[in-house]
Amino acid sequence: MTGMQDRIAAKLRAALAPEQVNVIDDSHLHAGHAGARPGGESHFTVEIVSSRFTGLNRVARHRLVNEALAEELAGPVHALVIRAKAPDE
Amino acid sequence: MSAQDTIKTTIDTNDVVLFMKGTPVFPQCGFSSVVARVLDHLQVDFESVNVLEDDGIRQEIKEFSNWPTIPQLYIKGEFVGGCDIVKEMFETGELQAYLKDKGLIAAA
C-alpha cells in the first residue's frame, strides 16, 4: 500500500461506510504519459461495495465517490477508474 | 461567449457530444479514446470537443456537469457519464438500447 492508496481507502471508508473497498494503484501502467507524476500515485482503480449505492444509478454512485475524493482529484490524482456496486449486485 | 455558454450551446445543438482530450482520430488520453471508439463502433454521429484546446472549457465542463474528470458524454442534452460508465453501458447493451430509443442508431 502506498500513501495515496491508504488515503483514498480511508476517505471512502469515512464517507461511504463500504462493506468492501479495494484501491489499486495503476500508476505504473501510465508512466511517462501526460498526467503521470515522477513518483507515481496518479492513476487508481477503486472497487467499492456500499449499501449507500442501493437504488442509485451509475452517475449518482460515481458522484458520491468523486465527492469523497474531491481534494485528491483536484490535486495529484489524475485518473480514477470506479467500479461501484450495491451489496446485492 | 463564456465557456459555460459555449458548453450549453454545443450540447443543445448536437445530439451526441463527447468532451475529450484530443480528437477521435488523435486521442490524447486512453480513457477518451475508449469512449470515442465505442461511439465509432456503434456508428453514432457525434460532435467532439477537445478540452486540451480550450482551458476555459476544460475547467468549466467539470463544474457544468458536476463531474471532475474527462471524458464526458452527453446524449440529447443529458449527461451520460465518463469512460467507466460508457464502457459498462456498452458491455451490458444499455448504451445501444438508449441510442436506439433516442433514434440515434438504427434499430437492429
Side-chain angles (χ1 to χ4, degrees):
Chain A
M1 277 264 174
T2 60
M4 185 58 79
Q5 247 174 322
D6 285 341
R7 187 162 139 187
I8 290 171
K11 285 228 167 159
L12 291 172
R13 280 192 198 100
L16 297 168
E19 291 171 23
Q20 199 184 313
V21 62
N22 189 20
V23 181
I24 303 151
D25 187 342
D26 303 318
S27 305
H28 61 285
L29 301 174
H30 302 272
H33 97 66
R37 300 180 312 135
E41 305 206 294
S42 56
H43 292 66
F44 293 89
T45 294
V46 165
E47 297 170 339
I48 180 167
V49 180
S50 170
S51 57
R52 305 275 172 87
F53 297 141
T54 305
L56 297 183
N57 67 20
R58 292 191 179 90
V59 168
R61 292 175 182 195
H62 282 231
R63 281 203 173 114
L64 286 177
V65 172
N66 287 330
E67 276 159 22
L69 302 173
E71 202 186 316
E72 289 72 24
L73 283 164
V77 175
H78 173 74
L80 192 66
V81 172
I82 301 171
R83 298 195 189 104
K85 297 207 178 297
D88 55 347
E89 292 170 351
Chain B
M1 205 158 48
S2 74
Q4 285 269 356
D5 291 339
T6 306
I7 291 166
K8 182 112 189 42
T9 304
T10 308
I11 64 174
D12 283 348
T13 53
N14 295 279
D15 285 337
V16 183
V17 183
L18 176 61
F19 294 88
M20 67 181 291
K21 293 183 179 174
T23 65
V25 178
F26 291 109
Q28 300 288 309
C29 155
F31 301 102
S32 289
S33 172
V34 166
V35 178
R37 281 185 359 237
V38 165
L39 296 174
D40 277 339
H41 177 77
L42 296 174
Q43 298 181 302
V44 181
D45 272 331
F46 67 100
E47 176 75 12
S48 68
V49 176
N50 180 0
V51 303
L52 297 178
E53 280 183 349
D54 188 323
D55 206 49
I57 289 179
R58 184 178 181 173
Q59 296 315 318
E60 283 299 322
I61 189 66
K62 298 178 183 180
E63 294 285 322
F64 185 88
S65 310
N66 181 25
W67 196 262
T69 50
I70 309 290
Q72 298 186 10
L73 179 66
Y74 276 85
I75 297 177
K76 293 267 188 192
E78 233 172 282
F79 178 65
V80 175
C83 177
D84 302 327
I85 290 179
V86 170
K87 216 165 85 179
E88 263 181 50
M89 287 178 73
F90 172 68
E91 283 162 2
T92 59
E94 283 165 82
L95 184 63
Q96 295 87 320
Y98 190 75
L99 288 162
K100 270 177 206 161
D101 188 50
K102 303 274 178 191
L104 297 169
I105 53 174

